[in-house]
Amino acid sequence: MLGRNMRQFAIVRVQPYRFRRMATLAEEVRSDDTFHIPVVSFSKFRNAQSKAEREQTAQEIVTAFKEVGFVYLKDHGISSGTVNNAFTK
């Protein structure tokens, strides 16, 4: 869960001596009990019969990143051995 103290800001130089602040997505994320990381099944993309079906899954992933900043991608087709190996390194 992201607390208020986890908010970060980036300072971007726009013109000489003028700066604007850009809030990160973390500021907009709910920090209450309703917060959850979206789960997207990638099998819908892998088994899609049309471009529209692939685009729908891609849009779910994009929406998850825009709204929450994270996504749990399940049914991705990567073997559990490969995943476990990645976490041991």
Side-chain angles (χ1 to χ4, degrees), residues 68-81:
V68 180
F70 300 96
V71 65
Y72 179 88
L73 197 60
K74 70 176 191 172
D75 305 324
H76 44 68
I78 300 171
S79 72
S80 59

Side-chain angles (χ1 to χ4, degrees), residues 4-21:
R4 294 177 193 264
N5 61 343
M6 296 292 290
R7 295 179 183 170
Q8 298 176 3
F9 294 93
I11 304 292
V12 178
R13 189 169 185 159
V14 178
Q15 294 178 357
Y17 307 108
R18 297 179 76 197
F19 295 88
R20 75 181 162 122
R21 299 179 91 184

